Amino acid sequence: MSKVFREVSFNELRGVLDPESFPFENTEILEAPDEPILGQLRATDAIKFGMGMKRGGYHIFIAGPPKAGLTYAARACIEEQAETEAKPPDWCYVHNFKEPDKPGCLRISAGRGKELKKDMLELIETIQKKIPEVLESDEYSSKEAEVHKAFENYRRRLIEDLSNQAKEEGFILQVSQVGMVIIPATKEGLPISQEKLAELAEEERESLKEKSNKLQEQMKEVVRKIREAEASFKEEQHKLESQVALYLLNQIMELYLDKYKDEPDVIEHFKGLQEDILANIGDFKKKEESQQPQMPQFQIPQKEMVFRKYAVNVLIDHSETQGAPVVVESNPTYPNLFGSIERQAWFGALFTDFTMIKPGVLHRANGGYLIMKALDLLKMWLSWEALKRALRDQKIRIEDLGELYGLFSTRTIRPEPIPLDIKIVLTGDPYLFELLYLYDDQFSKLFKVKAHMKDRMDRKEETVLQCARMMGDFCREKGLRHPDRTGVARLLEYSMEKTEDKHKLTLELGDVSDLIREADYFAAIDKAQFIERIHVEKAIEKRIFRSNLFEEQIRELVEKDILLIETEGSKVGQINGLSILMTGDYEFGKASRITATVSAGREGVIALERESKLSGNIHTKGVMILTGFIKERFAHNKPLSLSATFCFEQSYGMVEGDSASSTELYSLLSSLSGVPIFQGIAVTGSVSQKGEIQPVGGVTRKVEAFFDICEHRGLNGRQGVIIPEKNVRNLMLKQSVVEAVKQGLFHIWPVKTVEEGIEILTGLEAGVRQVDGTYPEGTLFRKADERLVELAEVIRKFGKETNENAKRSSEGGKEQAQ
């Protein structure tokens, strides 16, 4: 090749950091980074805005790539702000004395829930002890005796009056435990037997019967008065008990009422508690027995059941919380989100009450922030629908799933909903955000703040230092060895490799964190104090070794000439293309032979992969672009009359993407012009209809793949790869490639146009179209143009002969018919 073409310079082959330029020896001496998230100004601004908007559905969706550490970033940013916010209140569930199947919720200042539970236990124990003592005291007994004596005296008078009246009428009144009976009697006051009663005259019997009926009526009246008196006695007795108990309760509860005077919900509950104790004073009369029969473990003692309603179930306790709570939930099932109602065996049946209500993460994060992965939440559709309803109603309802969806109708409790004041933060893929925004009508009303996170940031002096500080903070947190200067430099170079850009650093923090862990493992084997460059290199090599089996198998097929790739000589219509293969966690470059053939016809440019349905839409578009380029360069003064086919040889899977479109064009131009292409050069890059070479992805892996083949067969100083000029910044080549280029054994040519690329491949000038529409003599485009003229002439001549033959056949048929 006589013409000198630009090659990628040595310092452009790889982004290299000088460890000596770092203002630190190792990350152990560095402080934690000032910012919780690096390089995410747009996202942090959106998150802070969403945190500031407390009402109106301004929940946050953090969108970004899966490995960008969305959850970590969200938590780091939110915790910094949440620490400055006020603590939310504690929440307790208590017995509802008016509606026992609807437990009530108590709002109480942060940290006082446990205190209330303890105080309530002490209060009930004190009442249990004091009430029996007071009700058995001499003072109370004397007052009760007075009331009882008055009742007995009144009862005795009524019975004596009735008895005397019965005697006057010749009857006697018998009183027993069963009741009172009036029977006829003799003058001596003895009951008349049935025999003697039968011997009486009819008039006497009728007279006795009439008197008996009157006495019976009087007796009923007496019984009624006794019952009224007994009811009045019980009422007086209960009133006496209540007065004594009320006086006692006022004394006992005065301290607690004063202690919780600033808690209106607690004061209201104390009032209901007092009324219930007075209404059920009998439960407190008997002292606790010293010994009780042993109950099975799965059964609740009767005495405990009686006083269980006075307990306090502390649902949420913020006594140790600093600022607003920040909760990350990785398993957002319905019970985990909204809580549950447990059950306990009670004489063979399942029993539940307010003490068995358990909280969910919505309760723990209430008054703060709840972070979840959107995809995890959407997998639990019951949780997603219930969460939207809770956010819309601003209430947390604890409901039994079986009862909620009609699976069974067992009666259970229905706790009072707790007011919901929370900020939900979802993390997920941007595409998932778009789907929810378009197809879920409630999503846009609830999640009004989108924080879009990048997966990379600019490589600057300050960002390099911030990354080093973050590495040090990570190592301190996880108890790992700290990287020294060389280790930091290699980790940052790996970060650039991930972005495929020498001027960018990856924000996929999870991947870099894993690499630090793996490098720490190899540093431990070497018993090194710090993670050095060699340890990071070893971790990267082992990571590749664990995943590149498929790559090694393809390389073996190339080395054994089973997959045909040539690196010597020149051939017409044949070229080495480069593509990327992905195996889930690993991707690598692969060289492929691409061939093209040209013949007369009108089919245009045909890709065999497209015809066999082994190509995607983007590859098909690339083929159509080639047709546009051919028309733009050669169809300005003649019709395009050709049938051209090209294909990826020995390719049996799907082909997608347009990164080989320039390669296909070079093979087509070679086939058209008859000029051979040097086989020691591989090509990557897409092309426009105007002949501009456009950047593609995976350029580093593609170059390394072809270099490995050439190195195995022997480098001769003429081999290399043509890449788009815009991809030079994406080169992060391994050291063996850098050394080969430095020694002139391997070359990398950046090109801007098709003309530059075809000249490197063929050594022949491409040519520029002249004023008369032709290309200069001896140029490649002149040869291709002449071939297209020949093909057009063949088509024209063949079409003319075909038309004449058809005409003669038509005339001969007419004569025969005549």
Side-chain angles (χ1 to χ4, degrees), residues 523-655:
I525 293 177
D526 290 347
K527 298 181 180 179
Q529 184 180 0
F530 297 103
I531 297 174
E532 302 172 10
R533 184 183 188 92
I534 188 173
H535 302 131
V536 181
E537 292 280 9
K538 188 73 172 177
I540 294 172
E541 290 173 9
K542 289 297 183 181
R543 180 180 284 190
I544 294 173
F545 179 74
R546 292 193 297 268
S547 304
N548 74 338
L549 177 61
F550 192 35
E551 180 185 19
E552 291 291 341
Q553 291 173 339
I554 291 178
R555 187 179 300 164
E556 182 181 358
L557 293 175
V558 174
E559 291 173 357
K560 292 181 178 180
D561 287 332
I562 296 173
L563 283 180
L564 303 177
I565 301 293
E566 297 186 32
T567 57
E568 294 285 350
S570 299
K571 287 194 174 181
V572 174
Q574 180 176 303
I575 191 171
N576 293 321
L578 297 170
S579 59
I580 289 290
L581 292 184
M582 303 184 69
T583 59
D585 63 333
Y586 184 68
E587 60 181 42
F588 58 93
K590 176 181 177 291
S592 301
R593 174 185 287 181
I594 298 176
T595 59
T597 61
V598 175
S599 63
R602 298 186 183 277
E603 289 84 357
V605 180
I606 299 172
L608 296 185
E609 280 75 21
R610 179 188 176 188
E611 297 300 311
S612 58
K613 297 182 180 179
L614 287 175
S615 69
N617 294 332
I618 299 176
H619 179 261
T620 300
K621 177 187 175 183
V623 174
M624 295 177 177
I625 288 174
L626 300 189
T627 303
F629 174 84
I630 297 296
K631 289 179 178 179
E632 198 271 340
R633 287 291 196 275
F634 304 108
H636 54 280
N637 54 6
K638 57 186 170 299
L640 194 62
S641 303
L642 86 160
S643 178
T645 61
F646 57 80
C647 77
F648 285 74
E649 304 289 355
Q650 295 182 292
S651 172
Y652 308 105
M654 286 294 295
V655 176

Side-chain angles (χ1 to χ4, degrees), residues 33 47 149 187 332:
I47 292 172
K149 184 178 180 181
K187 292 180 180 180

Side-chain angles (χ1 to χ4, degrees), residues 1 12 29 48 66 88 126 154 207 243 250 271 288 316 322 360 378 432 445 455 492 640 776 803 811:
M1 303 179 189
E12 292 179 305
I29 63 175
K48 290 178 180 178
T126 303
Y154 179 72
S207 175
Q243 288 175 347
N250 287 336
K271 291 180 181 178
E288 185 176 355
I316 295 300
Q322 300 297 326
L378 291 173
L432 185 59
K445 299 175 183 178
D455 62 349
L492 291 175
L640 194 62
N803 291 335
E811 291 175 352

Side-chain angles (χ1 to χ4, degrees), residues 804-815:
E804 289 176 354
N805 291 335
K807 185 178 179 180
R808 284 196 295 269
S809 298
S810 176
E811 291 175 352
K814 289 179 180 179
E815 291 176 359

Side-chain angles (χ1 to χ4, degrees), residues 155 174-181 219 223 227:
R155 180 173 173 274
Q174 290 185 343
V175 182
S176 67
Q177 294 292 336
V178 179
M180 294 185 292
V181 180
M219 185 181 68
V223 170
R227 287 176 179 173

